[in-house]
Amino acid sequence: MGDRRMTSATWRIAAASSIGTSHVKQGSVCQDSHACRIMQDADGSDVVVLVASDGAGSATRADAGSDCACSTIVEAVEVCLAKGRRVASFTFDDARDWVDHVQRAIAYRAEQDGATERDYACTLLVAIVGTDAAAFLQIGDGAMVATDEIGEWSWIHWPQRGDYANSTYFVTEKNACNQMAFDVIARPIDDVAVFTDGIEPLVLHYATKTVHSPFFNAMLGPVLASTRSGLDRNLSTSLEKYLASPKVCERTDDDKTLILATRRNAAATTESA
């Protein structure tokens, strides 16, 4: 693949969460949640914030926990940017503050509901992409991937596994920040995807710890061609149907969340292929 031509196109996003067939059989709800928002930094430049969260299967209020985590993180990042910050200046301490906001929001919700914080256990994936830098925060499994300077997909943080089989870490745990992965990448990123662990079997090669790029290249095509800035609701509906299709459910029976975002346009992709 040749050099890519960056464009000034606005961010276009497709995002969906779909219940897994195992949860359908159990009569439960989808425990995944997601949130997407375009904000502005101190320079007035667009910053896209993408968040996904997977509620723990053993948590009785996992769906509420993941929803609370997503909305709270978005609000915390927005407050940070409103204070005149730029993405390149974000630090581990900032990320720890955002996680603290999530934990306090869930603790308040638990108190109101007469439940425990563990009842809202969930993972957390956050991508914050500005003009010339991007910040990524992760607690638990699932992953985030982005294209590099020549258009190849690579993962930001590998899915986190717990001490036991089929276990991971949750943002509701007291020591969550000890497990938190946080990095700021000081270069422009034009394409990014965020997904919970239900998508992992489709897109990650565990033996080689690599990304199955053809999947993301194909899935990003309609987003590249979209003329809608921000979240494309029609594409998101189509994405949700795809995630619920037999083709996908034959390979994974878990809840699934996938967020795809790009600020390139289709013409630039064709020219640089």
Side-chain angles (χ1 to χ4, degrees):
M1 183 178 294
D3 291 341
R4 285 152 35 94
R5 302 183 186 181
M6 291 179 55
T7 74
S8 58
T10 57
W11 284 99
R12 286 96 69 217
I13 308 164
S17 294
S18 176
I19 189 170
T21 53
S22 62
H23 287 181
V24 172
K25 293 177 181 177
Q26 295 167 2
S28 62
V29 299
C30 180
Q31 297 173 327
D32 276 13
S33 297
H34 66 274
C36 310
R37 181 98 49 95
I38 296 178
M39 308 175 185
Q40 280 72 46
D41 63 13
D43 299 329
S45 301
D46 282 349
V47 175
V48 67
V49 181
L50 312 172
V51 188
S53 177
D54 177 8
S58 58
T60 57
R61 301 171 185 262
D63 55 322
S66 64
D67 180 69
C68 182
C70 289
S71 60
T72 303
I73 278 286
V74 169
E75 292 170 1
V77 174
E78 189 168 32
V79 168
C80 201
L81 289 171
K83 292 179 179 178
R85 299 289 299 280
R86 300 177 70 250
V87 177
S89 73
F90 287 163
T91 65
F92 187 91
D93 286 340
D94 291 319
R96 184 160 44 198
D97 286 342
W98 302 336
V99 170
D100 181 62
H101 279 297
V102 171
Q103 292 182 329
R104 286 191 281 115
I106 289 178
Y108 177 78
R109 177 70 180 269
E111 182 180 3
Q112 295 297 305
D113 293 345
T116 68
E117 294 167 40
R118 178 65 183 80
D119 293 330
Y120 301 82
C122 56
T123 64
L124 186 62
L125 297 156
V126 186
I128 308 165
V129 189
T131 302
D132 56 3
F136 297 92
L137 181 166
Q138 177 164 344
I139 297 174
D141 50 21
M144 296 172 282
V145 298
T147 51
D148 58 22
E149 294 88 340
I150 61 172
E152 298 298 329
W153 291 90
S154 59
W155 48 269
I156 307 300
H157 303 117
W158 194 250
Q160 297 176 353
R161 305 302 185 196
D163 297 328
Y164 303 98
N166 299 318
S167 68
T168 188
Y169 303 106
F170 301 112
V171 69
T172 45
E173 296 172 1
K174 298 297 184 184
N175 65 343
C177 287
N178 294 338
Q179 306 298 337
M180 180 176 70
F182 178 78
D183 278 296
V184 174
I185 298 177
R187 67 169 176 84
I189 289 178
D190 294 335
D191 313 301
V192 62
V194 179
F195 53 92
T196 55
D197 71 321
I199 298 290
E200 288 181 27
L202 282 68
V203 302
L204 296 181
H205 299 295
Y206 295 106
T208 58
K209 293 186 73 172
T210 56
V211 177
H212 184 58
S213 292
F215 175 90
F216 291 105
N217 290 335
M219 296 298 293
L220 196 68
V223 189
L224 282 165
S226 174
T227 58
R228 294 179 179 270
S229 61
L231 183 67
D232 188 318
R233 298 193 180 279
N234 290 334
L235 274 185
S236 298
T237 298
S238 296
L239 178 59
E240 183 177 359
K241 291 179 181 177
Y242 172 75
L243 296 180
S245 69
K247 180 179 180 180
V248 172
C249 292
E250 285 171 0
R251 298 187 59 187
T252 174
D253 65 355
D254 198 3
D255 293 343
K256 302 164 286 292
T257 292
L258 176 60
I259 306 173
L260 301 158
T262 184
R263 60 177 168 187
R264 289 184 296 131
N265 58 38
T269 307
T270 301
E271 291 168 357
S272 62

